Amino acid sequence: GYVFVINLIGIHTVAVFLLQKLPWDHLYRSYTCFFLVGTLLAMQVPVVNWTPIKSLEQLGPLAVFAGFQVLQLMCLLESK
């Protein structure tokens, strides 16, 4: 359940980014908030614990999150 959904949302986010269907700021804020809140809340479940960080199955959404952070940093450095 959870792994399928978070992978699907990660793929959707990359597709929306590549197709430029939403402004970058909106997409960045929404996916960052979703990933952080979703991961932190999932880690509060005793059965899950550190699985979202250690699992290879959830590496895709983590890579999307990390890529978005790098892109945002590049945008911030470019604007200065």
Side-chain angles (χ1 to χ4, degrees), residues 1 6 9 11 13-14 19 24 30-31 33-34 54 56-59 65-66 71 77 80:
I6 196 163
I9 291 173
I11 291 169
T13 303
V14 170
L19 295 173
W24 165 248
S30 62
Y31 187 75
C33 289
F34 163 76
K54 296 190 297 187
L56 288 176
E57 296 166 339
Q58 298 177 32
L59 193 59
F65 176 74
L71 284 173
L77 292 177
K80 287 187 177 183

Side-chain angles (χ1 to χ4, degrees), residues 2 6 32-46 48-53 58 65:
Y2 170 75
I6 196 163
T32 299
C33 289
F34 163 76
F35 185 81
L36 288 176
V37 171
T39 303
L40 291 174
L41 288 177
M43 290 171 62
Q44 300 305 312
V45 178
V48 177
N49 285 334
W50 289 96
T51 304
I53 305 298
Q58 298 177 32
F65 176 74

Side-chain angles (χ1 to χ4, degrees), residues 4-30:
F4 175 74
V5 170
I6 196 163
N7 280 317
L8 196 60
I9 291 173
I11 291 169
H12 181 284
T13 303
V14 170
V16 169
F17 172 72
L18 292 176
L19 295 173
Q20 297 178 350
K21 293 292 185 181
L22 281 176
W24 165 248
D25 293 337
H26 295 253
L27 189 61
Y28 171 76
R29 273 190 239 126
S30 62

